[in-house]
Amino acid sequence: MTSDSTTTISELRQIIADFVAERDWSQFHSPKNVSMALAIEAAELMEHFQWLSTEGSRKLANDPQKLADVGEELADVIGYSFALANELGIDVSSAIRAKMVKNVAKYPADQFRGRYSREDDGNSVHSP
Amino acid sequence: MTSDSTTTISELRQIIADFVAERDWSQFHSPKNVSMALAIEAAELMEHFQWLSTEGSRKLANDPQKLADVGEELADVIGYSFALANELGIDVSSAIRAKMVKNVAKYPADQFRGRYSREDDGNSVHSP
Amino acid sequence: MTSDSTTTISELRQIIADFVAERDWSQFHSPKNVSMALAIEAAELMEHFQWLSTEGSRKLANDPQKLADVGEELADVIGYSFALANELGIDVSSAIRAKMVKNVAKYPADQFRGRYSREDDGNSVHSP
Amino acid sequence: MTSDSTTTISELRQIIADFVAERDWSQFHSPKNVSMALAIEAAELMEHFQWLSTEGSRKLANDPQKLADVGEELADVIGYSFALANELGIDVSSAIRAKMVKNVAKYPADQFRGRYSREDDGNSVHSP
């Protein structure tokens, strides 16, 4: 039983909205600025995996401290994502459901099983 | 009444997990690779605001087509965020709540009201 | 008279190559890893302009300390760009000249003077 | 004999400066905007390596078409780097030389030979 199974998107969006409102920060939260903040946090998240091999990066889950650090960066990324949704009035659940319908059509399961592209012959990815 | 108010984080995470499982894509979804995909989608989101002024970027909300395009990129960003949480076993709600407690302590509302940093004298931001 | 007017691309590439060779770091410098490092440094550079207005960001040139900080991040970005060129054997000057020929054809000066896109009506950019 | 061995930084900077001037685009080239453009191009460059393994990404050098595509993205990254240097009046050669002096002091060759961090025990990187 995790917190995610009982927490709605709106509840988390509200936490972000309250934080911004209490500091009168909406003036800084133009969509342009928030999109920059989001990209910067995504880079900070990526930094944790920068010098690891692709397979080595899976082992990070076994290190509680590193996992907590990554969780914090991920929280920043999702937090700014919700901040942007708040500023622009985007319903996140609808946007994700609509995009996944497109993705299902673009990547039919029977044609893309085990392949990330039509050109993928499996060599480049499975090599170390 | 939006979909976000009744959709849990787990429900959206499950949509992503099913999509990945049906294509046997977990083999490509090492945390390193997913963090790269996330950063790339964050850049594509940012691209919509690249040449706009900070204030001009707020008007994007008035253009339904551009808003839909931005919503789609935001869905990609959050989708990969959930994919990373799935691979690493991170509870997103707990991570966000914990980080926001830290943020509240780091940016006391009474000291940061209307200021994004202690050095901010208001000039740089408020100028056009 | 600046140093740039007498320094060739190869001279700077060699400084980077020597640094990497002296530490036996080529093993970490797979193109994938270097492209991540480059994107991370680009985000750190962007961080200096994150909360500034578009016009306010021009004033940064008047603050010697901030300009030095930005110069250091820019050095990291170009340094990793040269590191990637070194690993892949790309001639930077040829690549830039070839791309600029394409850009000149894509953006004819007479059609794009003062406009960053064919759709640009000048409103979004010139607004504060 | 490559073009890089006879081309100065200033020559390439001038190509970029002329392109911007002929279109009267300096008005869009605030440092904030250019830093965003640079980060977006860095992400497009990274996209070529996104699903490859770290070692697999080295093989891209053997594919002339992919190498040309990567060279074009790298040209965009360095082009925007020079555009930013042009807007802010930064001497690129001096900035890189100064930063590399710092890097040499921060990463003494004898302590970092074959290790990318003091904590690196070699396992995570050398694993596939």
Side-chain angles (χ1 to χ4, degrees), chain B residues 53-95:
Chain B
S53 67
T54 43
E55 287 313 307
S57 73
R58 296 185 192 271
K59 299 178 194 162
L60 187 139
N62 303 328
D63 183 325
Q65 183 55 54
K66 287 186 182 169
L67 192 60
D69 292 346
V70 164
E72 200 164 304
E73 301 290 3
L74 189 60
D76 286 334
V77 167
I78 302 177
Y80 275 120
S81 298
F82 289 166
L84 186 59
N86 286 344
E87 291 295 333
L88 290 172
I90 293 172
D91 188 66
V92 165
S93 314
S94 304

Side-chain angles (χ1 to χ4, degrees), chain D residues 31-98:
Chain D
K32 178 175 178 124
N33 284 1
V34 177
S35 76
M36 292 175 79
L38 175 47
I40 291 165
E41 296 298 339
E44 291 183 7
L45 175 61
M46 193 165 59
E47 203 171 350
H48 290 272
F49 305 107
Q50 181 174 15
W51 302 117
L52 303 180
S53 66
T54 43
E55 288 312 307
S57 73
R58 297 187 192 268
K59 299 179 194 162
L60 186 139
N62 302 328
D63 183 326
Q65 183 54 54
K66 287 187 182 166
L67 192 60
D69 292 346
V70 165
E72 201 164 301
E73 302 290 2
L74 188 60
D76 286 334
V77 167
I78 303 177
Y80 275 121
S81 298
F82 289 167
L84 185 59
N86 286 345
E87 292 296 332
L88 290 172
I90 292 172
D91 187 67
V92 165
S93 315
S94 303
I96 290 179
R97 288 196 178 94

Side-chain angles (χ1 to χ4, degrees), chain D residues 92-109:
Chain D
V92 165
S93 315
S94 303
I96 290 179
R97 288 196 178 94
K99 185 57 193 284
M100 293 310 289
V101 167
K102 278 197 181 184
N103 281 343
V104 165
K106 188 176 175 185
Y107 303 102

